[in-house]
Amino acid sequence: MCVGVFIEALESRRLFTGVTLITHGFNSSVDGWVTEMGDAIASQNGPLALQPIYKMTASDDGKGGPIGVASERLGAAPADWSSTEIIVLLDWGQLAGKLPFGGYHRTTQDVAAAVANKLLNAMSIPDLATPLAQLPFHLVGHSRGASLVSELAGDLGQRGVWVDQETFLDPHPVDGIRDPLNFNWGDAPMHVYDNVLFADDYWRTQGDTNLDFTGEPVNGAHNLQLSEAVLSNGGYSIEHSDVHLWYHGTIGPPFSDTDGSATIGPNWYDPPQGPRESLGWHYSRIARGTRPSDGLKSGGTFRDPVTLSVSGPAVWDDVQISGLSSDFSVSQGSTIPVTVNFEDRSAGGSRDAVITIGR
């Protein structure tokens, strides 16, 4: 008797998806460098046209009313959700203030709270029915936007959500400190909250009274001060903007020397602010570089406390599979050893999370 055997190979599968959210600061929007950075990150996962990129827009009635957050897809719908990353470009330009005299603005706390609510609810973005907050997050913010993502992480933490990484690019809350125009818009000072697993901060200064707004180091983050003298050779007309260009230049390989609006100058990635392939984007979940211990919660680095604002089933339960730093192949029927961290923060010792790994 002849027995036929049919063998079908499994298609390549990517099981772990995350979200990178990028936002701007004062007098800006997602047009320009934010979009270019989003494209550069999305391209790390394959052809740009196949990567899911979304825009979130935060706005109000211009009179201090409730802030609404709308989301839309940019480009074609993802074909099969095989990408390892979702990119979200957060535009709060209507609320961020404008030149020459400040313009209409809201505090970074107000904007962060509205965005957190969006991320915690179903249909945070088109094409995905479940809340984005269930996925690992990398929050990237420049200037006032750094204060915004700092508070966004804290707001998520109040619901029990972990944040994998937040990256601050020349953080400058408008809080009456280091502000040459003496503006105080009530922005939140910089924090790294207890639910953040890793934080990094890239900043420079030209003096607190200079109109080229200065950044600042952040307690609890891996801080790298960039050289003002080096950044002044090339890039934008102000070094405050050069910081996001410097970070853009670390995204790769392949690496780009421009974000479409300005070009990286010579010696920008000389040590200690280089080489470009060993820091900056290198620490992201996608690039999989070894993260410095001085920015890791697990390394005992300082964290600001965060208090739950909900209880019972409303508290998110978190699970993280760690140690998988490269792609691998697995045969049907074999097992995969993994390291798992989890947290169930239900009050009163009444644990309600059920975690099943395997069958």
Side-chain angles (χ1 to χ4, degrees):
M1 180 173 66
C2 178
V3 178
V5 178
F6 178 73
I7 300 176
E8 180 181 7
L10 287 174
E11 70 276 13
S12 177
R13 298 182 181 182
R14 296 190 179 273
L15 305 180
F16 307 109
T17 295
V19 180
T20 300
L21 182 148
I22 311 165
T23 196
H24 57 86
F26 170 75
N27 194 50
S28 191
S29 70
V30 299
D31 298 332
W33 74 265
V34 175
T35 294
E36 294 295 327
M37 183 179 290
D39 288 350
I41 293 172
S43 296
Q44 296 298 298
N45 299 306
L48 180 59
L50 301 180
Q51 306 308 314
I53 301 177
Y54 296 84
K55 177 182 177 182
M56 281 189 177
T57 303
S59 60
D60 68 8
D61 60 4
K63 301 177 182 179
I67 296 173
V69 181
S71 60
E72 60 182 301
R73 185 196 327 114
L74 303 178
D80 54 11
W81 286 104
S82 62
S83 171
T84 56
E85 193 74 8
I86 298 167
I87 308 299
V88 175
L89 313 178
L90 174 59
D91 193 330
W92 58 296
Q94 188 239 349
L95 311 173
K98 296 185 182 300
L99 291 173
F101 299 113
Y104 182 71
H105 55 271
R106 297 288 296 269
T107 69
T108 53
Q109 300 97 301
D110 287 347
V111 182
V115 175
N117 286 336
K118 183 72 171 179
L119 299 178
L120 287 160
N121 284 289
M123 294 301 295
S124 303
I125 57 172
D127 311 313
L128 189 64
T130 53
L132 272 184
Q134 70 178 344
L135 300 173
F137 257 91
H138 182 184
L139 306 174
V140 182
H142 175 252
S143 192
R144 287 192 78 203
S147 172
L148 193 162
V149 300
S150 169
E151 287 304 293
L152 176 56
D155 288 337
L156 293 173
Q158 290 177 16
R159 292 284 296 272
V161 178
W162 288 353
V163 172
D164 180 71
Q165 181 179 358
E166 55 184 0
T167 296
F168 308 133
L169 304 176
D170 221 28
H172 186 88
V174 181
D175 56 1
I177 301 173
R178 304 182 186 89
D179 198 304
L181 301 177
N182 296 316
F183 285 154
N184 186 347
W185 294 347
D187 284 354
M190 297 300 301
H191 295 284
V192 180
Y193 287 105
D194 191 53
N195 61 311
V196 176
L197 305 185
F198 177 69
D200 50 349
D201 176 27
Y202 307 95
W203 67 285
R204 33 57 63 202
T205 180
Q206 197 170 332
D208 293 352
T209 61
N210 196 286
L211 287 175
D212 188 359
F213 300 108
T214 187
E216 61 182 82
V218 180
N219 193 13
H222 168 67
N223 291 286
L224 177 61
Q225 182 175 359
L226 305 180
S227 168
E228 187 78 356
V230 172
L231 293 180
S232 65
N233 191 1
Y236 287 88
S237 60
I238 59 172
E239 283 70 57
H240 187 49
S241 296
D242 285 341
V243 177
H244 62 68
L245 176 59
W246 176 90
Y247 188 80
H248 185 116
T250 69
I251 301 170
F255 300 101
S256 174
D257 287 341
T258 180
D259 63 2
S261 299
T263 301
I264 291 165
N267 307 317
W268 272 29
Y269 297 103
D270 287 352
Q273 57 188 53
R276 69 200 304 179
E277 67 272 11
S278 301
L279 74 181
W281 175 251
H282 176 69
Y283 304 139
S284 69
R285 183 185 60 260
I286 298 174
R288 302 170 179 171
T290 300
R291 293 171 168 177
S293 61
D294 61 353
L296 283 168
K297 177 181 177 179
S298 62
T301 305
F302 172 82
R303 290 292 184 266
D304 286 292
V306 60
T307 302
L308 289 177
S309 61
V310 294
S311 60
V315 180
W316 285 59
D317 301 315
D318 296 277
V319 60
Q320 177 191 50
I321 297 176
S322 58
L324 299 178
S325 59
S326 60
D327 294 335
F328 60 91
S329 299
V330 59
S331 302
Q332 184 176 3
S334 63
T335 60
I336 306 170
V338 296
T339 299
V340 178
N341 301 313
F342 66 90
E343 182 176 43
D344 180 352
R345 298 186 65 185
S346 298
S350 176
R351 305 307 184 200
D352 60 0
V354 176
I355 300 173
T356 302
I357 300 173
R359 293 191 293 122

